[in-house]
């Protein structure tokens, strides 16, 4: 496994590189934590060799059938966080900082650009190396007691003096972002903070300032970072499950990298929605599991289904092009839902005909039973549609369906520039012949489903159909026993 992350938008995204040795260690630790934290977690801070900067990151495990199959990692650089605290520092006329534990700095106004001491082994700068003498005295500073203000018991207040100038620290420890805990705080010179500090024993005025610096900063960071990252992780998890229709677009963010992530995600989502219209979900799922490996053509036991609209060519002569397209789209929507409900793969639409198959790209031991159930569901849906058409005064349609089970070659067929995952061979030809036999066996039936003996036996469905006798099939020397599948 590998950890890959990208920053930037669709046209200028750059890969965040992590050293190979650390990459392996990071993957191992991350996957172990993912198994124990399926809802997501804040991971250890990582350093990118290519970007020369460190990143805080949130990990969302991808869970399928109760097992973690992968993780989504969304990252924000510490430089971006430092830009944010620098902006807040200017507004508060002080210095705001975020620490990891006691001796490492996550964000500080002096860290808006890369620091030379940040490496893969030491992604965080030590508190004494950020060029801030006042911050260096933080932990050794004397503490104030706020016992008279119980509401502020989570706020730590300290004071120190450097070169004759007194400074007041306020901070709060938060545990929402993993280990070690973050210390979110800030300091101002005594002239700015002394008066409200003296009143703190009698009122909660100083508490308001402390909360603005500590608690409110934590809340702000949580909203600005955690929520968009979690939304992105949720969306990517839905995409991994091919639940593209229900994925919501991401809102923009004031943090540049999160905003770029949202734009890139939304562009990807739009492309995937178009992609889903043309590529079967079962094939996409297979491609995701292969992780970029090529699909190898191989022989499979499959069941192939063909449908055709009888007399549609004549009926369409009285329709406009738009009416024809609307009719076919509604018709194929009915058929497609029946095929997908039984785990089938829609191979192609050919004019007013449909081809689908079961048993590939993933093996299905019950491929014949699935195909018969899908054909029966199609027959039921078509009959209801016919009733609706008659009530509207429209001419009814007639549908023929053919099924056959047997060996076929499944794989990528086509030119190098344009491939199509399909099944080919005699089994496909026989299935199409079954559909065409409907003209001879029941030319006036609104719906007829014919299947070969191979499909009936393989389905193991009791009383799946009644024999229509042996029939000669074009291209085959021997006659085939044909069955008319029972439909409600």
């Amino acid at each position: 496994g590998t950890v890959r992350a990208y920053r930037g938008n669709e046209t200028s995204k750059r890969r965040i590189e992590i050293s190979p040795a650390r990459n392996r260690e990071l993957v191992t630790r991350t996957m172990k934590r993912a198994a124990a934290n399926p809802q997501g977690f804040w991971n250890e801070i990582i350093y990118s060799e290519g970007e020369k900067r460190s990143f805080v990151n949130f990990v969302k495990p991808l869970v399928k059938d109760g097992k973690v199959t992968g993780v989504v990692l969304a990252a924000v650089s510490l430089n971006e966080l430092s830009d944010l605290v620098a902006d807040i520092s200017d507004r508060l006329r002080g210095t705001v900082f975020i620490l990891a534990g006691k001796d490492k700095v996550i964000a500080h106004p002096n860290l808006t650009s890369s620091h030379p001491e940040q490496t893969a082994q030491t992604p965080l700068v030590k508190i004494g190396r950020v060029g801030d003498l006042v911050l260096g005295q933080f932990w050794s500073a004397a503490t104030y007691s706020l016992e008279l203000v119980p509401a502020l018991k989570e706020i730590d207040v300290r004071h120190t003096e450097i070169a004759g100038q007194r400074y007041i620290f306020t901070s709060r420890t938060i545990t929402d972002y993993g280990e070690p805990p973050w210390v979110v705080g800030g300091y101002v010179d005594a002239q700015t903070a002394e008066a409200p500090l003296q009143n703190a024993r009698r009122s909660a005025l100083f508490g308001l300032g402390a909360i603005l610096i500590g608690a409110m900063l934590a809340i702000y960071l949580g909203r600005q970072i955690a929520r968009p990252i979690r939304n992105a992780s949720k969306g990517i998890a839905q995409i991994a499950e091919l639940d593209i229709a229900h994925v919501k677009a991401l809102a923009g963010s004031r943090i540049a990298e999160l905003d770029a992530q949202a734009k890139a995600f939304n562009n990807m989502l739009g492309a995937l929605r178009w992609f889903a219209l043309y590529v079967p979900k079962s094939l996409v799922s297979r491609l995701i599991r292969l992780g970029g490996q090529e699909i190898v053509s191989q022989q499979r036991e499959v069941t192939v289904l063909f449908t055709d609209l009888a007399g549609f060519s004549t009926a369409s002569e009285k329709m406009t092009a738009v009416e024809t397209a609307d009719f076919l789209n509604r018709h194929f929507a009915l058929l497609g839902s029946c095929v997908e409900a039984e785990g089938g793969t829609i191979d192609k639409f050919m004019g007013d005909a449909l081809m689908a198959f079961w048993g590939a790209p993933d093996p299905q031991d019950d491929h014949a039973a699935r195909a018969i159930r899908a054909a029966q569901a199609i027959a039921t849906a078509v009959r209801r549609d016919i009733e609706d058409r008659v009530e509207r005064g429209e001419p009814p349609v007639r549908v023929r369906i053919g099924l056959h089970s047997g060996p076929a070659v499944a794989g990528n067929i086509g030119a190098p520039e344009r491939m199509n995952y399909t099944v080919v061979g005699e089994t496909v030809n026989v299935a199409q012949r079954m559909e065409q036999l409907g003209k001879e066996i029941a030319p006036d039936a609104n719906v007829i489903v014919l299947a070969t003996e191979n499909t009936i036996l393989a389905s193991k469905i009791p009383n799946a159909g009644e024999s229509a006798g042996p029939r000669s099939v074009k291209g085959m020397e021997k006659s085939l026993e044909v069955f008319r599948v029972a439909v409600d």
Side-chain angles (χ1 to χ4, degrees), residues 269-295:
L269 179 60
L272 284 174
R273 282 175 173 162
W274 279 107
F275 182 68
L277 293 175
Y278 295 94
V279 182
K281 287 184 179 180
S282 57
L283 178 58
V284 175
S285 179
R286 174 86 170 170
L287 290 171
I288 290 174
R289 290 195 299 274
L290 287 175
Q293 300 177 35
E294 183 179 355
I295 292 181

Side-chain angles (χ1 to χ4, degrees), residues 304-312 331 335 350 352-356 375 378 398-404 427-443 445-452 455 471-474 480 482-483 485:
V304 182
L305 175 148
F306 275 89
T307 74
D308 189 44
L309 278 169
F312 178 73
H331 175 71
L335 273 56
M350 303 163 288
D352 56 4
L354 173 146
M355 172 186 167
I378 290 173
R398 298 196 308 278
V399 176
R400 298 190 301 266
I401 303 173
L403 299 163
H404 179 56
T427 296
V428 179
N429 297 333
V430 173
Q432 189 172 29
R433 300 290 185 267
M434 290 301 102
E435 173 267 307
Q436 294 171 350
L437 272 176
K439 300 177 185 178
E440 301 176 13
I441 294 176
N446 285 334
V447 182
I448 180 171
V449 182
L450 298 181
T452 61
T455 300
R471 299 281 172 164
S472 298
V473 177
K474 182 179 179 181
L480 293 178
V482 177
F483 286 76
V485 175

Side-chain angles (χ1 to χ4, degrees), residues 33-34 36-43 58-61 72 230 233:
R33 292 190 65 190
N37 300 276
Q39 300 305 315
F41 58 92
W42 288 91
N43 202 20
F58 183 83
V59 173
K60 174 65 177 178
V72 177
R230 284 170 178 158
S233 299

Side-chain angles (χ1 to χ4, degrees), residues 320-362:
T320 65
V322 173
E323 290 172 338
T324 300
D326 288 344
F327 172 82
L328 288 175
N329 287 338
R330 289 195 304 271
H331 175 71
F332 286 135
L334 286 176
L335 273 56
S337 62
C338 297
V339 170
E340 292 182 354
E342 291 294 339
T345 296
I346 297 176
D347 182 279
K348 60 177 69 74
F349 300 105
M350 303 163 288
D352 56 4
L354 173 146
M355 172 186 167
F357 56 84
W358 285 259
D362 291 323

Side-chain angles (χ1 to χ4, degrees), residues 101 139 154-156 171-176 180-185 214 218:
W139 294 110
E154 295 183 357
I155 304 299
D156 182 36
S171 64
R172 183 181 183 184
T173 299
I174 55 177
T175 58
D176 297 337
W182 287 17
V183 178
V184 180

Side-chain angles (χ1 to χ4, degrees), residues 37-157:
N37 300 276
Q39 300 305 315
F41 58 92
W42 288 91
N43 202 20
E44 61 187 270
I45 293 174
I46 60 176
Y47 179 80
S48 166
E49 301 283 1
E51 292 286 322
K52 302 297 182 186
R53 62 177 68 189
S54 300
F55 292 81
V56 60
N57 58 100
F58 183 83
V59 173
K60 174 65 177 178
L62 302 179
V63 181
K64 187 176 182 64
D65 298 329
K67 296 182 180 180
V68 175
T69 58
V71 296
V72 177
L73 184 149
V76 177
S77 77
L78 302 193
N79 302 121
E80 291 288 338
L81 289 183
S82 294
D83 283 334
L84 180 62
V85 299
D87 180 58
I88 297 174
S89 297
D90 290 340
R91 297 181 187 182
L92 296 178
R93 293 184 295 175
T95 299
V96 177
F97 55 84
I98 305 175
L99 306 179
K102 286 193 172 184
D103 62 339
K104 303 292 178 59
V105 182
I106 292 175
H108 186 278
N110 291 350
L111 295 178
T112 55
S113 58
S114 300
H115 193 283
E117 294 184 9
Q118 288 177 309
T119 66
Q121 290 71 36
T122 58
L124 295 176
V125 181
K126 291 186 176 181
I127 193 169
R129 304 293 293 175
V130 296
D132 187 335
L133 295 177
V134 180
L135 180 59
Q137 300 295 319
F138 175 59
W139 294 110
S140 61
T143 60
Y144 277 110
S145 174
L146 295 179
E147 295 178 357
L148 298 181
V149 191
L152 304 180
K153 62 182 180 180
E154 295 183 357
I155 304 299
D156 182 36
V157 182

